[in-house]
């Protein structure tokens, strides 16, 4: 995702151990950053139709992660 850190920087404080104890208030800035990430994920910069018969320079990346309670893939 291009420039993802520019959108998620303000959200990092919500993922700390301290936030587990005392979750900060969800502010307008958090919502704007979250919406920017959602918009980026569904934008033409990230979603493309791949021609499997002629892939050209298209590259597909699959990232996986797992924990004791969850599995995720992007």
């Amino acid at each position: 995702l291009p420039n993802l850190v520019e959108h998620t920087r303000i959200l990092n404080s919500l993922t700390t151990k301290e936030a587990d104890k005392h979750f900060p208030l969800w502010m307008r800035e958090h919502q704007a950053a979250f919406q920017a990430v959602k918009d980026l994920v569904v934008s033409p910069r990230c979603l493309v139709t791949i021609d499997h018969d002629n892939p050209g320079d298209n590259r597909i990346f699959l990232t996986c992660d797992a924990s004791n309670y969850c599995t995720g893939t992007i």
Side-chain angles (χ1 to χ4, degrees), residues 11-25 69:
L11 301 173
N12 288 343
S13 64
L14 305 177
T15 64
T16 64
K17 289 183 180 181
E18 187 61 32
D20 284 344
K21 298 174 189 170
H22 306 285
F23 196 75
L25 290 176
Y69 63 90

Side-chain angles (χ1 to χ4, degrees), residues 11-58:
L11 301 173
N12 288 343
S13 64
L14 305 177
T15 64
T16 64
K17 289 183 180 181
E18 187 61 32
D20 284 344
K21 298 174 189 170
H22 306 285
F23 196 75
L25 290 176
W26 185 262
M27 306 296 287
R28 186 175 294 143
E29 294 83 9
H30 297 125
Q31 186 61 40
F34 184 69
Q35 187 63 48
V37 171
K38 287 179 16 180
D39 292 344
L40 180 61
V41 168
V42 298
S43 74
R45 295 179 72 189
C46 291
L47 295 179
V48 297
T49 303
I50 296 176
D51 181 353
H52 294 281
D53 295 327
N54 185 20
D57 292 332
N58 292 318

